[in-house]
CSV table of all heavy atoms in Angstrom, one decimal:
chain,number,residue,atom,x,y,z
C,37,LEU,N,-4.3,-7.5,-16.6
C,37,LEU,CA,-5.2,-8.6,-16.7
C,37,LEU,C,-4.8,-9.6,-15.8
C,37,LEU,O,-5.6,-10.2,-15.1
C,37,LEU,CB,-5.1,-9.2,-18.1
C,37,LEU,CG,-5.7,-8.3,-19.2
C,37,LEU,CD1,-5.7,-9.0,-20.6
C,37,LEU,CD2,-7.1,-7.8,-19.0
C,38,ALA,N,-3.5,-9.9,-15.5
C,38,ALA,CA,-3.0,-10.9,-14.6
C,38,ALA,C,-3.4,-10.5,-13.2
C,38,ALA,O,-3.8,-11.4,-12.4
C,38,ALA,CB,-1.5,-11.2,-14.8
C,39,THR,N,-3.3,-9.2,-12.9
C,39,THR,CA,-3.5,-8.8,-11.5
C,39,THR,C,-5.1,-8.9,-11.2
C,39,THR,O,-5.4,-9.4,-10.2
C,39,THR,CB,-3.2,-7.3,-11.4
C,39,THR,OG1,-1.8,-7.1,-11.6
C,39,THR,CG2,-3.5,-6.7,-10.1
C,40,GLN,N,-6.0,-8.6,-12.2
C,40,GLN,CA,-7.4,-8.7,-11.9
C,40,GLN,C,-7.8,-10.2,-11.9
C,40,GLN,O,-8.7,-10.5,-11.0
C,40,GLN,CB,-8.1,-8.0,-13.1
C,40,GLN,CG,-7.8,-6.5,-13.4
C,40,GLN,CD,-7.8,-5.8,-12.1
C,40,GLN,OE1,-8.8,-5.8,-11.3
C,40,GLN,NE2,-6.7,-5.1,-11.8
C,41,VAL,N,-7.3,-11.0,-12.7
C,41,VAL,CA,-7.7,-12.5,-12.6
C,41,VAL,C,-7.1,-13.0,-11.3
C,41,VAL,O,-7.8,-13.9,-10.7
C,41,VAL,CB,-7.0,-13.2,-13.8
C,41,VAL,CG1,-7.3,-14.7,-13.7
C,41,VAL,CG2,-7.7,-12.7,-15.1
C,42,ALA,N,-6.0,-12.6,-10.8
C,42,ALA,CA,-5.4,-13.1,-9.6
C,42,ALA,C,-6.2,-12.7,-8.4
C,42,ALA,O,-6.3,-13.3,-7.4
C,42,ALA,CB,-4.0,-12.7,-9.4
C,43,ALA,N,-6.9,-11.4,-8.5
C,43,ALA,CA,-7.8,-10.9,-7.5
C,43,ALA,C,-9.1,-11.6,-7.4
C,43,ALA,O,-9.9,-11.4,-6.5
C,43,ALA,CB,-8.0,-9.5,-7.7
C,44,GLY,N,-9.4,-12.6,-8.4
C,44,GLY,CA,-10.6,-13.4,-8.3
C,44,GLY,C,-11.7,-13.0,-9.3
C,44,GLY,O,-12.7,-13.6,-9.2
C,45,HIS,N,-11.4,-12.1,-10.2
C,45,HIS,CA,-12.3,-11.8,-11.2
C,45,HIS,C,-12.3,-12.6,-12.4
C,45,HIS,O,-11.3,-13.2,-12.7
C,45,HIS,CB,-12.1,-10.3,-11.8
C,45,HIS,CG,-12.1,-9.3,-10.6
C,45,HIS,ND1,-13.4,-8.9,-10.1
C,45,HIS,CD2,-11.2,-8.5,-10.1
C,45,HIS,CE1,-13.1,-7.9,-9.1
C,45,HIS,NE2,-11.8,-7.7,-9.1
C,46,SER,N,-13.4,-13.0,-12.9
C,46,SER,CA,-13.5,-13.8,-14.1
C,46,SER,C,-13.0,-13.1,-15.3
C,46,SER,O,-13.0,-11.8,-15.4
C,46,SER,CB,-14.9,-14.3,-14.3
C,46,SER,OG,-15.8,-13.2,-14.7
C,47,GLU,N,-12.5,-13.8,-16.3
C,47,GLU,CA,-12.0,-13.1,-17.5
C,47,GLU,C,-13.2,-12.4,-18.2
C,47,GLU,O,-13.0,-11.4,-18.8
C,47,GLU,CB,-11.4,-14.2,-18.4
C,47,GLU,CG,-10.2,-14.8,-17.9
C,47,GLU,CD,-9.4,-15.6,-18.9
C,47,GLU,OE1,-9.9,-15.7,-20.1
C,47,GLU,OE2,-8.4,-16.3,-18.6
C,48,LYS,N,-14.4,-13.0,-18.1
C,48,LYS,CA,-15.6,-12.3,-18.7
C,48,LYS,C,-15.9,-11.0,-18.0
C,48,LYS,O,-16.1,-10.1,-18.8
C,48,LYS,CB,-16.8,-13.2,-18.5
C,48,LYS,CG,-18.1,-12.7,-19.1
C,48,LYS,CD,-19.2,-13.6,-18.9
C,48,LYS,CE,-20.6,-13.0,-19.5
C,48,LYS,NZ,-21.7,-13.8,-19.3
C,49,SER,N,-15.7,-10.8,-16.7
C,49,SER,CA,-16.1,-9.6,-16.1
C,49,SER,C,-15.0,-8.6,-16.4
C,49,SER,O,-15.3,-7.4,-16.7
C,49,SER,CB,-16.2,-9.7,-14.6
C,49,SER,OG,-15.0,-10.2,-14.0
C,50,VAL,N,-13.7,-9.0,-16.4
C,50,VAL,CA,-12.6,-8.1,-16.8
C,50,VAL,C,-12.8,-7.6,-18.3
C,50,VAL,O,-12.6,-6.4,-18.6
C,50,VAL,CB,-11.3,-8.7,-16.5
C,50,VAL,CG1,-10.1,-7.8,-17.0
C,50,VAL,CG2,-11.1,-9.2,-15.1
C,51,ARG,N,-13.1,-8.5,-19.2
C,51,ARG,CA,-13.3,-8.1,-20.6
C,51,ARG,C,-14.5,-7.2,-20.7
C,51,ARG,O,-14.3,-6.1,-21.4
C,51,ARG,CB,-13.7,-9.4,-21.4
C,51,ARG,CG,-13.7,-9.2,-22.8
C,51,ARG,CD,-14.0,-10.5,-23.5
C,51,ARG,NE,-13.8,-10.3,-25.1
C,51,ARG,CZ,-14.8,-9.9,-25.8
C,51,ARG,NH1,-16.0,-9.5,-25.2
C,51,ARG,NH2,-14.7,-9.8,-27.1
C,52,GLU,N,-15.6,-7.4,-20.0
C,52,GLU,CA,-16.7,-6.4,-20.1
C,52,GLU,C,-16.3,-5.1,-19.5
C,52,GLU,O,-16.7,-4.1,-19.9
C,52,GLU,CB,-17.9,-7.0,-19.2
C,52,GLU,CG,-18.5,-8.2,-19.9
C,52,GLU,CD,-19.6,-8.9,-19.1
C,52,GLU,OE1,-19.7,-8.5,-17.8
C,52,GLU,OE2,-20.3,-9.8,-19.6
C,53,HIS,N,-15.4,-5.1,-18.4
C,53,HIS,CA,-14.9,-3.8,-17.8
C,53,HIS,C,-14.1,-3.1,-18.9
C,53,HIS,O,-14.3,-1.8,-19.0
C,53,HIS,CB,-14.1,-4.2,-16.6
C,53,HIS,CG,-13.5,-3.0,-15.9
C,53,HIS,ND1,-14.3,-2.2,-15.2
C,53,HIS,CD2,-12.2,-2.5,-15.9
C,53,HIS,CE1,-13.5,-1.2,-14.7
C,53,HIS,NE2,-12.3,-1.4,-15.0
C,54,LEU,N,-13.3,-3.7,-19.6
C,54,LEU,CA,-12.4,-3.0,-20.6
C,54,LEU,C,-13.3,-2.5,-21.7
C,54,LEU,O,-13.2,-1.3,-22.2
C,54,LEU,CB,-11.4,-4.0,-21.2
C,54,LEU,CG,-10.3,-4.4,-20.2
C,54,LEU,CD1,-9.3,-5.4,-21.0
C,54,LEU,CD2,-9.5,-3.3,-19.7
C,55,VAL,N,-14.2,-3.3,-22.2
C,55,VAL,CA,-15.2,-2.8,-23.3
C,55,VAL,C,-16.0,-1.6,-22.8
C,55,VAL,O,-16.2,-0.7,-23.6
C,55,VAL,CB,-16.1,-4.0,-23.8
C,55,VAL,CG1,-17.1,-3.4,-24.7
C,55,VAL,CG2,-15.2,-5.0,-24.4
C,56,ALA,N,-16.5,-1.7,-21.6
C,56,ALA,CA,-17.2,-0.5,-21.1
C,56,ALA,C,-16.4,0.7,-21.0
C,56,ALA,O,-17.0,1.8,-21.0
C,56,ALA,CB,-17.7,-0.9,-19.7
C,57,HIS,N,-15.1,0.6,-20.9
C,57,HIS,CA,-14.2,1.7,-20.8
C,57,HIS,C,-13.7,2.1,-22.2
C,57,HIS,O,-12.7,2.9,-22.3
C,57,HIS,CB,-13.1,1.6,-19.9
C,57,HIS,CG,-13.5,1.7,-18.4
C,57,HIS,ND1,-14.2,0.7,-17.8
C,57,HIS,CD2,-13.3,2.7,-17.5
C,57,HIS,CE1,-14.4,1.1,-16.5
C,57,HIS,NE2,-13.9,2.3,-16.4
C,58,GLY,N,-14.4,1.6,-23.3
C,58,GLY,CA,-14.0,2.1,-24.6
C,58,GLY,C,-13.1,1.3,-25.5
C,58,GLY,O,-12.9,1.6,-26.6
C,59,TRP,N,-12.7,0.1,-24.9
C,59,TRP,CA,-11.9,-0.8,-25.7
C,59,TRP,C,-12.7,-1.6,-26.7
C,59,TRP,O,-13.7,-2.1,-26.3
C,59,TRP,CB,-11.0,-1.7,-24.9
C,59,TRP,CG,-9.6,-1.9,-25.3
C,59,TRP,CD1,-9.2,-1.5,-26.6
C,59,TRP,CD2,-8.6,-2.7,-24.7
C,59,TRP,NE1,-7.9,-1.9,-26.7
C,59,TRP,CE2,-7.4,-2.7,-25.7
C,59,TRP,CE3,-8.5,-3.5,-23.6
C,59,TRP,CZ2,-6.3,-3.2,-25.4
C,59,TRP,CZ3,-7.3,-4.0,-23.3
C,59,TRP,CH2,-6.3,-4.0,-24.1
C,60,SER,N,-12.3,-1.7,-28.0
C,60,SER,CA,-13.1,-2.6,-28.9
C,60,SER,C,-12.9,-4.0,-28.6
C,60,SER,O,-12.0,-4.4,-27.9
C,60,SER,CB,-12.5,-2.3,-30.3
C,60,SER,OG,-11.2,-2.8,-30.4
C,61,GLU,N,-14.0,-4.8,-28.9
C,61,GLU,CA,-14.0,-6.2,-28.7
C,61,GLU,C,-12.7,-7.0,-29.2
C,61,GLU,O,-12.1,-7.8,-28.6
C,61,GLU,CB,-15.3,-6.9,-29.0
C,61,GLU,CG,-16.4,-6.3,-28.2
C,61,GLU,CD,-17.7,-7.1,-28.5
C,61,GLU,OE1,-17.6,-8.1,-29.3
C,61,GLU,OE2,-18.8,-6.8,-27.9
C,62,PRO,N,-12.4,-6.7,-30.5
C,62,PRO,CA,-11.2,-7.3,-31.0
C,62,PRO,C,-9.9,-7.0,-30.3
C,62,PRO,O,-9.1,-7.9,-30.1
C,62,PRO,CB,-11.2,-6.7,-32.5
C,62,PRO,CG,-12.6,-6.4,-32.8
C,62,PRO,CD,-13.1,-5.9,-31.5
C,63,ALA,N,-9.8,-5.7,-29.8
C,63,ALA,CA,-8.6,-5.4,-29.0
C,63,ALA,C,-8.6,-6.1,-27.7
C,63,ALA,O,-7.6,-6.5,-27.3
C,63,ALA,CB,-8.6,-3.8,-28.7
C,64,ALA,N,-9.8,-6.2,-27.1
C,64,ALA,CA,-9.9,-7.1,-25.8
C,64,ALA,C,-9.5,-8.5,-26.1
C,64,ALA,O,-8.8,-9.0,-25.2
C,64,ALA,CB,-11.3,-6.9,-25.2
Side-chain angles (χ1 to χ4, degrees):
L37 296 180
T39 300
Q40 302 313 308
V41 172
H45 300 288
S46 67
E47 291 187 9
K48 180 181 178 182
S49 65
V50 178
R51 187 179 185 279
E52 290 174 349
H53 179 70
L54 293 178
V55 173
H57 282 77
W59 216 358
S60 66
E61 293 189 2

